[in-house]
């Protein structure tokens, strides 16, 4: 069974049932000792692209926003070993659409959506809500991204089986206050604290 570790802020580590390791937006917390097969970066802000942190296997692939979204009209889907990854739209006033992506990742029969730094996008309603997402991860800091209330509205639109709020307190790993507020608004909320790992 696959596992997911929330490292804090916007950083996560995904491990497949076969032991393949994927880091998403490395920067915060601990748990970078497992050598990576794949590193995904949603955009180039410093708190998402600390590429020197994860250990790497020989042949590790680093796939960043500019690879996944090479021009305004193209969002690439690609398979890396057991991980199938599709770039999705990410944007708001602080994150230009041409410079940011989210990642829809399929692994071991599960679909996870790492939204990246974003606010509501039409793709959430028109496409992602129809994809039967098992786990979605949404920012909710209300400073550089949407706030918890808007994140809750996005969760209702997505209809994912589990929705976890992340990127809640820039400069720190987590905000328990905002996470609990999200949980009161979203019946599918799955709260994870930094350092907590779950089986998928």
């Amino acid at each position: 069974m696959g596992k997911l570790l929330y490292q804090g802020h916007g950083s996560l580590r995904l491990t497949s049932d076969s032991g393949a390791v994927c880091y998403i937006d490395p920067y915060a917390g601990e748990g970078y000792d497992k050598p990576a097969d794949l590193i995904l970066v949603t955009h180039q802000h410093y708190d998402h692209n600390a590429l020197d942190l994860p250990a790497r296997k020989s042949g590790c692939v680093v796939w960043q926003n500019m690879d996944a979204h090479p021009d305004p009209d193209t969002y690439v889907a690609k398979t890396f070993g057991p991980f199938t990854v599709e770039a999705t739209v990410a944007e708001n006033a602080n994150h230009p659409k041409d410079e940011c992506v989210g990642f829809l990742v399929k692994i071991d029969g599960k679909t996870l959506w790492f939204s990246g730094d974003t606010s509501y996008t039409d793709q959430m309603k028109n496409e992602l809500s129809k994809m039967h997402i098992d786990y979605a991860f949404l920012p909710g800091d209300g400073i550089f991204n949407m706030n918890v209330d808007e994140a809750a509205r996005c969760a209702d639109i997505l209809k994912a089986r589990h929705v976890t709020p992340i990127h809640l307190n820039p400069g720190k790993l987590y905000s328990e206050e905002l996470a609990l507020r999200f949980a009161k608004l979203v019946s599918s909320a799955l709260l994870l604290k930094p350092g907590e790992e779950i089986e998928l």
Side-chain angles (χ1 to χ4, degrees):
M1 184 173 289
K3 294 183 178 181
L4 184 121
L5 170 69
Y6 179 44
Q7 294 162 292
H9 191 52
S11 304
L12 301 110
R13 186 186 74 196
L14 180 61
T15 305
S16 76
D17 183 52
S18 64
V21 176
C22 172
Y23 291 91
I24 301 94
D25 285 351
Y27 166 73
E30 306 293 334
Y32 292 98
D33 54 316
K34 280 191 175 183
D37 296 274
L38 176 64
I39 301 173
L40 300 176
V41 174
T42 62
H43 64 290
Q44 294 304 309
H45 287 171
Y46 74 93
D47 58 332
H48 293 261
N49 69 347
L51 294 175
D52 57 328
L53 280 180
R56 301 189 191 188
K57 293 178 184 174
S58 175
C60 172
V61 176
V62 178
W63 209 50
Q64 304 188 67
N65 55 291
M66 65 285 274
D67 307 306
H69 182 36
D71 64 66
D73 299 319
T74 303
Y75 287 85
V76 178
K78 197 167 182 178
T79 297
F80 305 93
F83 301 101
T84 298
V85 185
E86 180 179 349
T88 62
V89 176
E91 65 172 325
N92 58 32
N94 300 296
H95 296 86
K97 185 176 181 181
D98 289 347
E99 299 174 9
C100 302
V101 295
F103 291 113
L104 192 73
V105 179
K106 294 183 179 180
I107 183 71
D108 297 335
K110 298 288 194 305
T111 300
L112 302 91
W113 184 47
F114 305 95
S115 71
D117 277 14
T118 192
S119 298
Y120 170 80
T121 69
D122 288 339
Q123 188 185 41
M124 293 181 190
K125 179 179 179 181
N126 297 335
E127 297 178 38
L128 296 172
S129 65
K130 301 174 176 65
M131 290 187 174
H132 307 292
I133 295 169
D134 294 292
Y135 297 87
F137 302 86
L138 298 175
D141 57 83
I143 302 169
F144 300 108
N145 298 290
M146 57 186 166
N147 61 24
V148 165
D149 292 337
E150 185 179 350
R153 290 193 294 272
C154 291
D156 288 340
I157 290 166
L158 288 166
K159 298 179 176 61
R161 195 157 58 93
H162 304 289
V163 186
T164 297
I166 63 172
H167 206 297
L168 295 174
N169 193 355
K172 298 186 178 180
L173 292 181
Y174 189 64
S175 169
E176 186 168 10
E177 177 185 354
L178 291 180
L180 291 173
R181 180 174 175 181
F182 181 86
K184 288 181 179 179
L185 297 170
V186 178
S187 60
S188 58
L190 172 64
L191 301 188
L192 297 177
K193 293 184 178 181
E196 188 170 355
E197 188 171 43
I198 59 169
E199 292 187 341
L200 300 176

